[in-house]
Each structure stands twice: as C-alpha cells, then as structure tokens.
Amino acid sequence: LCFAGFCFSLGFYCTNLGFQAASAAFVETIKASEPITSAILAVAWGLELLNRKEVTSLALIVCGVVLSTLGNSPSSGGDDSSGDSNNDEDGGLGMAAASLISCMIVMTSNLCFSFRGLFQKLFQKKKKKKIHHHQNVPMMDDLNLQYRMQQMGVLVFGVPALLWEGRSVLEHIYQVSSHVGLIQSGVLIHYVGLATVNAMAFASYK
C-alpha cells in the first residue's frame, strides 16, 4: 500500500511536469498510452495473459503515440536563405528534443500509475488470501483504498512541497488577499467548489 501511494502521487507530479513542458493535447495523447505500461507490468508479474486482439490494440496505441510525438514538433519554414534555414533546423531540433523529453516525462507518469495499479492488485490479492485462510483481516473497499493511497502521498510529498513551494504559495495568497481579497474576489469559493467537484468525480471514476 505504501508503494501504491508513492507511485500514485509521483504519477501526478510527473503529469504536472508534463503539462508545464508541453501542450495539454499532447500530454493527454501520451497519457492515453497508459494501457501499454499496465499490460507490460501485468504480464511481467504473471497477473494477465494477452491475446492477439489485445496485442494488436496495444500496437495501434504505440503507433498513435509515435505519430503524436513526431507531429508535436513544428515544421520549418519555407525561406530559402541559408541563415534562416540553419536557424529553422536548430529550432526544429530543439523542439524535437523538447517533445521527446516531454514524452519521456509523461511516460514516466504512465509507468507510475501502472505500478500503482499493480501494487493495488497485489495488495487486494494478499488481503483476499488472508481472508480465505480465515485470518482476522478487515477487507478494504476501493474508496478507502484510494483515501489511504492519497494519505500516503501527502505524508511522503507534503514536507518537500512545503519546503520548495510553500513560500511561493504563501506569497501568491498574500498578494490576492491584500489586493482583491480571497472571499470578495470569489477565488476561494471557486477553488473550494472546483476541488469538491474534482474529488467527487475522481472518487466515482475510481
């Protein structure tokens, strides 16, 4: 459960890094390849066996991710001058490198979420085995399992987040509260509302 919570929180951290480095459309396209990493881990741990249709579907996902990565870098312009051509070439290589780095970050996020799913399955399997052997072990439902994983993530990443981003967050809060006000401007109410809706949607989805 500790490993599941760690990978769960690390996956969101890598996702946020991906959104900072690339467009949302590109990040979500790469994140759609999460079934690939999940399938690889499930097969490696002997939890699942893939049939021909599943392998074909994963191969198509791989092709889509590759095309999205290549298409994310803009093409060079049509200027014939050598200087502009060299600049366009350097810029194209830089954008391709940035696109590749963004892809690797998002794929790391996918791998973290896949490991989270793997550890979650292993945890539930271990619980069921203990219950089957008539041991006094309470069964944990999915909602409490999600809560425990997020709680573990807060315990692991809470202190580093406060050390690295705490001052910046407090400065932004102070600026908003001193200039327009958190409640008067509606920022606090909007944030609480969006956070509540997001939590309910995430809990119902998971």
Side-chain angles (χ1 to χ4, degrees), residues 66-89:
V66 172
L67 291 175
S68 177
T69 304
L70 295 176
N72 188 57
S73 57
S75 59
S76 59
D79 199 338
D80 294 334
S81 61
S82 60
D84 292 341
S85 178
N86 292 331
N87 291 333
D88 290 339
E89 183 177 356

Side-chain angles (χ1 to χ4, degrees), residues 72-126:
N72 188 57
S73 57
S75 59
S76 59
D79 199 338
D80 294 334
S81 61
S82 60
D84 292 341
S85 178
N86 292 331
N87 291 333
D88 290 339
E89 183 177 356
D90 294 338
L93 291 176
M95 291 300 298
S99 177
L100 182 59
I101 293 175
S102 302
C103 180
M104 293 175 61
I105 293 174
V106 181
M107 287 301 296
T108 303
S109 171
N110 289 348
L111 191 62
C112 290
F113 284 123
S114 298
F115 268 113
R116 185 269 305 174
L118 174 65
F119 291 134
Q120 182 176 339
K121 289 181 180 179
L122 293 176
F123 175 78
Q124 292 176 333
K125 186 178 180 180
K126 186 176 180 180

